[in-house]
Amino acid sequence: MGKLYGVSVGTGDPELITVKGLKCLQQAKIVAFPEGIQGKPGIAQRIITPWLQSHQTLLPLKFPYVQDERELNQAWETAAKTVLGYLQRGEDVTFACEGDVSFYSTFTYLAQTVQKLDASVTVETMPGVCSPMAAAAALGIPLTTRSQRLMILPTLYHLDELETALNTAEVVVLMKFSSLYPQIWALLEEKGLLASSCIVERATMPEQVIYEGLLDRANLQLSYFSVMIIKIQ
């Protein structure tokens, strides 16, 4: 039985992969990653392309960007069966994961489904840089100091969730929030937090954009890959 490796490849800059992760990636015969959309390479594939070698087998796996649980489960099972076919032939598979494998990661669902189908599969993961840390580095600020309480909201559907976070933590990180940005901006204005809030779009990628302070930025058109850091104290 082959082993399934999950390698964290960071948020965009190919140099953010760890030495251990790079060694695992370059020693792999089969490299899997999420398939891009509209025929374009996905983020993980773009990150690892400089490190890939011509003899490696590339294995793009389809993971739809939807909320429907049934469709997601079907996609994970299809991907898991594809990977399992290689593992059961004694071949290792290395999955390149954007960000960190343990931080709201597609790899988690893939690995869990593979092991559900065959409990004898061994999984090994390698940590890496995730988007809140990358955003803080891009801004040149510490994410937290001393005993500051940090709260990360990976998705935001209702402002009540943000209200609770602002009343609980001293640093709040928002991810996947762009559809609610006008309401978020209004709430931060009400609470006097616009000056101490920043946004990084596509952190560490060539297209990275930084917004330091949001006082005059009520109408930003933000991408899905945006991270907001709110400093409350």
Side-chain angles (χ1 to χ4, degrees):
M1 177 67 73
K3 180 184 283 191
L4 176 59
Y5 292 92
V7 176
S8 305
V9 298
T11 52
D13 182 346
E15 294 186 350
L16 289 180
I17 190 171
T18 65
V19 173
K20 184 174 183 178
L22 180 58
K23 285 181 178 178
C24 182
L25 181 68
Q26 293 191 319
Q27 290 169 1
K29 291 184 178 179
I30 302 164
V31 180
F33 44 81
E35 182 180 82
I37 58 175
Q38 298 178 341
K40 298 178 181 178
I43 293 176
Q45 184 180 0
R46 286 167 51 192
I47 293 169
I48 65 174
T49 292
W51 307 123
L52 294 176
Q53 301 172 72
S54 59
H55 67 271
Q56 293 175 306
T57 297
L58 304 186
L59 187 61
L61 301 172
K62 188 170 184 177
F63 300 103
Y65 293 91
V66 296
Q67 297 296 325
D68 183 84
E69 285 292 325
R70 183 175 179 180
E71 187 174 348
L72 286 172
N73 287 328
Q74 181 60 56
W76 295 331
E77 185 166 337
T78 299
K81 286 179 178 177
T82 300
V83 169
L84 192 56
Y86 290 92
L87 299 175
Q88 290 177 333
R89 291 195 294 271
E91 300 180 88
D92 295 340
V93 176
T94 296
F95 185 89
C97 175
E98 179 193 352
D100 177 88
V101 288
S102 66
F103 189 71
Y104 307 114
S105 160
T106 298
F107 179 76
T108 298
Y109 306 111
L110 174 65
Q112 288 176 345
T113 308
V114 167
Q115 290 185 312
K116 182 180 177 181
L117 295 172
D118 189 334
S120 69
V121 173
T122 300
V123 176
E124 183 176 337
T125 60
M126 295 166 202
V129 177
C130 58
S131 56
M133 285 65 184
L139 290 163
I141 62 172
L143 186 58
T144 55
T145 57
R146 293 185 177 270
S147 58
Q148 284 183 321
R149 295 184 301 275
L150 169 68
M151 185 174 289
I152 298 174
L153 300 182
T155 54
L156 190 62
Y157 298 113
H158 306 287
L159 283 186
D160 289 350
E161 299 167 6
L162 179 55
E163 284 263 23
T164 299
L166 295 176
N167 291 329
T168 304
E170 287 136 334
V171 180
V172 174
V173 175
L174 303 184
M175 302 165 60
K176 303 176 187 176
F177 64 89
S178 56
S179 62
L180 279 183
Y181 179 70
Q183 297 96 310
I184 293 168
W185 190 92
L187 179 60
L188 295 178
E189 181 186 39
E190 178 187 323
K191 293 186 173 292
L193 293 172
L194 290 173
S196 59
S197 300
C198 303
I199 294 172
V200 181
E201 256 189 308
R202 302 182 184 276
T204 78
M205 300 183 195
E207 314 94 309
Q208 174 181 284
V209 179
I210 295 175
Y211 302 99
E212 297 189 64
L214 304 177
L215 283 167
D216 60 347
R217 304 187 189 278
N219 300 305
L220 291 178
Q221 300 297 313
L222 297 166
S223 77
Y224 176 85
F225 300 104
S226 298
V227 174
M228 182 186 294
I229 298 177
I230 306 165
K231 297 275 190 174
I232 294 121
Q233 292 185 5

